[in-house]
């Protein structure tokens, strides 16, 4: 998804783009496949905010909007959970899930989940003050968010005081660091957090960026929030991105495994593919 979004935006703004995909289909970890007539998703499987617009919209929705593409979705607000502790319908929002935790796991899990919410929801003000496309894993987050978004970011951090600056720096760290700092010990809560990280980002909490998870909590706990499932599965998202890339002159090469980036005089000039073939970059460096 990241590579296709990058390629799509570069093509959209006039760069000469070729996507070299090692797999036999685009999308990397996020794609769909069929087995004996059944359709399966690979990669992230929880989505929301595809229909949102504006500076705080879902970042993937922003990319699709820039490419003039859209993904039809079905909306829902709960899903069935089957775990050793029991079977229950997991619902979006704080109240219902806390009730489910108390019923199926116990008061200890309920208290720890509330403790997590009390810590994360205030930090979400800093996350929501940033355009999602500017969230990145280094301190460039502050310079990237400058310009038209700077006033809203500064106002949010000023209102939050010292907690605002702390929240902004926490956004750049693995989500597990927030969880560990709260000393959350309940096995169900820890496993549930890892499950959400995996469903959203394909990794556990020690590899998921806090910005992603904090943004998710802020989005899911808004009144009337719904989850969305792209009709056609995650492959429908990939198809839309590929259409956007090709619409603006970009190209996609499958079964093209990059083994090495070729460097001359400190500058990338091309790549070496598996099998020995070289692909040179344009002289313009695009």
């Amino acid at each position: 998804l990241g590579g296709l979004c990058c390629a799509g935006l570069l093509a959209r703004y006039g760069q000469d783009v070729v996507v070299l995909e090692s797999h036999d289909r685009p999308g990397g970890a996020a794609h769909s496949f069929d087995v004996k007539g059944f359709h399966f998703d690979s990669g992230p499987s929880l989505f929301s905010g595809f229909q949102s617009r504006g500076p705080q919209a879902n970042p993937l929705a922003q990319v699709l909007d820039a490419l003039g593409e859209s993904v039809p979705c079905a909306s829902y607000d709960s899903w069935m959970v089957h775990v050793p502790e029991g079977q229950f319908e997991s619902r979006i929002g704080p109240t219902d899930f806390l009730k489910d935790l108390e019923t199926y796991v116990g008061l200890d899990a309920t208290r720890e989940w509330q403790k997590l919410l009390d810590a994360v929801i205030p930090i979400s003000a800093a996350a929501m003050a940033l355009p999602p496309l500017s969230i990145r894993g280094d301190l460039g987050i502050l310079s990237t968010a400058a310009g038209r978004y700077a006033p809203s970011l500064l106002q949010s951090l000023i209102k939050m005081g010292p907690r605002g600056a702390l929240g902004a720096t926490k956004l750049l760290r693995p989500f597990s660091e927030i969880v560990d700092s709260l000393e959350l010990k309940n096995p169900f809560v820890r496993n549930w957090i890892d499950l959400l990280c995996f469903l959203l980002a394909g990794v556990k909490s020690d590899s998921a960026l806090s910005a992603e998870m904090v943004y998710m909590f802020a989005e899911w706990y808004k009144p009337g929030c719904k989850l969305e499932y792209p009709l056609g599965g995650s492959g429908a998202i990939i198809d839309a991105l590929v259409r956007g890339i090709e619409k603006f002159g970009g190209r996609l090469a499958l079964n093209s495994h990059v083994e090495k980036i070729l460097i001359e005089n400190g500058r990338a000039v091309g790549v070496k593919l598996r099998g020995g073939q070289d692909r040179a970059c344009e002289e313009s460096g695009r």
Side-chain angles (χ1 to χ4, degrees):
L1 280 174
L4 291 176
C5 287
C6 178
L9 291 176
L10 286 170
R12 167 68 178 79
Y13 293 107
Q15 300 299 310
D16 184 14
V17 176
V18 179
V19 179
L20 301 174
E21 171 58 60
S22 182
H23 206 316
D24 61 3
R25 66 192 69 192
H31 59 264
S32 299
F33 59 94
D34 295 301
V35 177
K36 297 181 179 179
F38 292 94
H39 193 71
F40 297 90
D41 283 341
S42 173
S45 51
L46 284 182
F47 301 95
S48 66
F50 273 112
Q51 313 308 316
S52 59
R53 293 293 181 268
Q56 276 74 52
N58 177 307
L60 189 50
Q62 288 193 6
V63 173
L64 291 170
D65 190 43
L67 297 178
E69 295 290 337
S70 62
V71 178
C73 295
S75 62
Y76 63 104
D77 60 6
S78 62
W79 71 92
M80 286 303 300
V81 176
H82 301 267
V83 291
E85 291 81 1
Q87 301 177 16
F88 62 93
E89 186 178 18
S90 178
R91 293 161 287 185
I92 296 298
T95 304
D96 289 331
F97 186 63
L98 286 170
K99 289 179 180 178
D100 290 336
L101 278 178
E102 183 175 348
T103 301
Y104 296 100
V105 186
L107 284 174
D108 177 61
T110 304
R111 284 191 292 265
E112 288 204 356
W113 190 257
Q114 186 63 61
K115 187 177 182 181
L116 177 65
L117 294 181
D118 291 342
V120 166
I121 296 302
I123 300 174
S124 70
M128 296 300 283
L130 299 170
L133 284 177
S134 76
I135 292 176
R136 47 192 278 191
D138 57 50
L139 291 175
I141 185 173
L142 298 178
S143 60
T144 307
R148 61 176 291 196
Y149 299 106
S152 60
L153 172 59
L154 291 175
Q155 288 171 10
S156 174
L157 297 183
I158 289 171
K159 287 179 181 178
M160 296 174 68
R163 186 178 60 187
L166 177 61
T169 56
K170 283 185 177 180
L171 294 175
L172 310 179
R173 306 296 303 162
F175 191 62
S176 60
E177 293 188 10
I178 293 179
V179 176
D180 291 340
S181 70
L182 297 172
E183 299 182 347
L184 304 184
K185 306 293 186 184
N186 186 276
F188 182 91
V189 170
R190 299 287 305 215
N191 287 335
W192 188 260
I193 291 169
D194 274 338
L195 172 64
L196 290 180
C197 289
F198 185 78
L199 292 175
L200 284 160
V203 293
K204 295 172 69 173
S205 61
D206 58 358
S207 299
L209 195 66
S210 290
E212 297 178 79
M213 299 306 296
V214 168
Y215 186 88
M216 177 275 292
F217 276 104
E219 178 74 18
W220 285 14
Y221 285 79
K222 291 192 302 189
C225 176
K226 300 282 188 180
L227 292 173
E228 294 170 325
Y229 183 74
L231 300 182
S234 55
I237 302 172
I238 303 307
D239 291 343
L241 289 171
V242 171
R243 287 196 305 269
I245 292 170
E246 294 177 342
K247 178 193 304 181
F248 292 100
R251 290 153 288 162
L252 173 70
L254 301 176
N255 298 303
S256 301
H257 183 81
V258 175
E259 289 195 333
K260 185 179 181 181
I261 298 174
L262 304 177
I263 306 293
E264 291 182 5
N265 300 318
R267 180 173 175 271
V269 296
V271 295
K272 186 179 184 63
L273 301 180
R274 179 181 292 160
Q277 181 185 1
D278 290 353
R279 292 192 72 125
C281 297
E282 298 276 346
E283 280 303 310
S284 61
R286 292 179 291 180

